[in-house]
Amino acid sequence: MTLLEFKDLRVTYNGSRGRVPAVRGVDLAVEAGRTLGIAGESGCGKSTLAMAVLRLLPKTAEVTGEILLDGEDLLTMGWGRLRAVRWTGASIVFQGAMHSLNAVHRIGRQVAEPILVHEKAVTPGEAAKRAEALLERVGLPPSRMRSYPHELSGGQRQRVMIAMALACDPDLIIADEATTALDVMVQAQVLQLISGLVTERGVGLVMISHDLSVLSSVCDEAAVMYAGKVVEQGPAREVFADARHPYSAALGAAFPVIGDPASRRNPGGLPGDPPDPVRLPDGCSFRPRCAVAVERCGEQVPALLPVPGAAGPARASACFVAQEGEPVAVR
Ligand SMILES: Nc1ncnc2c1ncn2[C@@H]1O[C@H](COP(=O)(O)OP(=O)(O)OP(=O)(O)O)[C@@H](O)[C@H]1O
Ligand SMILES: [Mg+2]
């Protein structure tokens, strides 16, 4: 069952730099009980996409297209319905969410609050018990219920935010770099907790991360974004191990695997910078950095289409070279 679907989503910010097209026509779907990973360099539009889901973008953002949650368009629903959907239908753990805790309230009260707001039958005592259990699930002892945010480390505060996102048993969780600030042991524990919810409770998960090893180990599907568009998508492991877009190939090659010297194929990373969204090049946005570009790449924008010869189903790439069945990785 399709839980979340983006249809031709476009987000343009209007600001001091004029019109900034941050998301430029994204079509993606997440099934219940599945995990979609989103990768891509800083500024490619990942957080914009995530924030659009719960209409958390600033007023300066123009949004078009559809975002369907269980078939209902989140972009056009009334505010009353949207408030009900936030937390119970879908919840987000933001990048740097640890800074958004309320400084003057104890942790226990903050975790219990969404439960009390959204589940009218629950008593304050029951909500406190559930908050305590949630904190335990993210590795925080019950004594932390009485702490104030400033008494916790950044990683501990991020875990409180994760506990809050899980508080009302949402159908969809969006994790935007949610575990990046955590040390590797806690990160593994939290990832295991979230993955457990996906398989046991059929929650849908969108995981945004710079860490490709996290994405390929946790996610079923993956989408790689470049300059506001999805340039490659398919089963996560295949996208990162056998890329069909030169950008995903470079992203994967820039990521060394510990203990595997052969994986250090491109320790210097990808040359050049992502394009300024205000001044995108003609044709394929990746062309100025691409080692396999052909003439056509400077003239036409490649659509995201199925690629020949790929191992799994649903492999798509927005690259003319890959669509011809030619290799895209430069070793
Ligand atoms: N409020 C805003 N006003 C104008 N432009 C914005 C605004 N927020 C983001 N942008 C621009 O939109 C583009 C996408 O930003 P976004 O935060 O979605 O990227 P991201 O992929 O999440 O990056 P990162 O990996 O650094 O978190 C960037 O070019 C950014 O400068
Ligand atoms: Mg971001």
Side-chain angles (χ1 to χ4, degrees):
M1 191 189 72
T2 304
L3 181 65
L4 178 75
E5 201 173 354
F6 294 97
K7 287 189 175 175
D8 195 25
L9 185 76
R10 291 168 192 270
V11 182
T12 305
Y13 292 105
N14 290 293
S16 54
R17 300 181 61 226
R19 290 172 62 76
V20 180
V23 173
R24 302 185 300 128
V26 166
D27 292 279
L28 281 173
V30 186
E31 303 291 310
R34 307 280 291 177
T35 299
L36 168 73
I38 301 183
E41 263 163 311
S42 185
C44 71
K46 306 178 298 295
S47 296
T48 302
L49 190 75
M51 307 256 260
V53 174
L54 288 180
R55 308 229 308 253
L56 296 167
L57 292 168
K59 283 203 175 67
T60 55
E62 246 172 66
V63 186
T64 64
E66 288 173 52
I67 305 177
L68 305 176
L69 183 68
D70 257 337
E72 214 181 340
D73 191 356
L74 293 160
L75 295 180
T76 53
M77 70 174 50
W79 284 104
R81 175 82 189 115
L82 186 68
R83 262 193 295 275
V85 166
R86 286 181 181 168
W87 301 101
T88 55
S91 67
I92 300 189
V93 188
F94 296 109
Q95 193 168 18
M98 52 192 160
H99 304 296
S100 45
L101 284 168
N102 189 326
V104 299
H105 294 311
R106 294 181 199 273
I107 296 301
R109 172 172 166 182
Q110 297 194 55
V111 179
E113 193 174 282
I115 305 174
L116 287 169
V117 170
H118 291 282
E119 298 177 35
K120 300 283 180 237
V122 175
T123 65
E126 285 163 354
K129 276 214 173 67
R130 268 172 60 184
E132 203 174 298
L134 283 161
L135 289 183
E136 206 177 329
R137 287 175 82 177
V138 295
L140 293 173
S143 58
R144 286 304 186 184
M145 291 281 284
R146 298 193 55 74
S147 301
Y148 288 97
H150 74 268
E151 294 169 322
L152 268 54
S153 73
Q156 287 169 334
R157 272 181 274 155
Q158 188 70 5
R159 279 187 271 168
V160 172
M161 294 307 296
I162 295 168
M164 282 173 76
L166 304 179
C168 295
D169 285 332
D171 300 323
L172 174 79
I173 299 170
I174 300 177
D176 185 358
E177 301 284 1
T179 59
T180 311
L182 306 180
D183 71 66
V184 283
M185 302 305 277
V186 177
Q187 184 183 54
Q189 186 187 345
V190 172
L191 288 176
Q192 211 170 15
L193 163 73
I194 298 178
S195 311
L197 290 172
V198 173
T199 41
E200 286 155 29
R201 293 207 27 256
V203 169
L205 174 66
V206 177
M207 178 168 276
I208 296 170
S209 178
H210 282 115
D211 191 335
L212 300 190
S213 56
V214 165
L215 290 183
S216 58
S217 62
V218 173
C219 300
D220 303 302
E221 274 82 39
V224 177
M225 285 183 72
Y226 191 78
K229 279 177 179 273
V230 173
V231 294
E232 176 163 5
Q233 93 186 72
R237 272 168 217 273
E238 285 165 34
V239 167
F240 300 123
D242 176 26
R244 296 304 169 117
H245 189 285
Y247 175 63
S248 351
L251 209 58
F255 222 86
V257 177
I258 293 170
D260 176 9
S263 77
R264 270 181 289 155
R265 280 169 288 168
N266 187 6
L270 187 63
D273 295 310
D276 181 347
V278 179
R279 272 180 292 276
L280 290 170
D282 288 338
C284 173
S285 321
F286 185 61
R287 181 187 47 87
R289 303 168 83 187
C290 183
V292 298
V294 292
E295 203 177 327
R296 195 178 164 196
C297 306
E299 294 155 3
Q300 293 168 33
V301 179
L304 184 66
L305 295 173
V307 282
R315 291 294 306 275
S317 164
C319 170
F320 292 129
V321 176
Q323 286 163 10
E324 294 289 324
E326 300 292 329
V328 292
V330 179
R331 304 263 157 114

